[in-house]
């Protein structure tokens, strides 16, 4: 499986999991929160919050 296919499949699974969840928690490393954030995941959640 190519890296892009793996990445696409991983995000597809994450998306399904987040859609089925009532609560989504993002855990950050306090020493470097900017490097441990997932902006893509935050945007995905924000999109669902706007649409509901």
């Amino acid at each position: 499986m190519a890296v892009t296919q793996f990445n696409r499949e991983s995000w597809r699974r994450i998306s399904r999991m987040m859609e089925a969840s009532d609560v989504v928690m993002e855990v950050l490393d306090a020493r470097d929160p900017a490097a441990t954030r997932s902006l893509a995941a935050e945007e995905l959640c924000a999109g669902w919050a706007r649409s509901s």
Side-chain angles (χ1 to χ4, degrees):
M1 182 182 302
V3 174
T4 54
Q5 290 173 327
F6 175 77
N7 193 25
R8 198 174 310 132
E9 180 60 28
S10 296
W11 276 107
R12 195 173 296 126
R13 288 180 184 183
I14 290 168
S15 175
R16 280 184 278 182
M17 178 192 64
M18 290 170 68
E19 192 172 3
S21 300
D22 292 327
V23 176
V24 177
M25 181 186 302
E26 181 178 24
V27 178
L28 304 176
D29 185 338
R31 297 168 292 185
D32 192 7
T36 56
R37 283 179 76 179
S38 175
L39 295 176
E42 291 176 18
E43 290 173 5
L44 190 60
C45 279
W48 283 322
R50 283 189 292 264
S51 66
S52 55

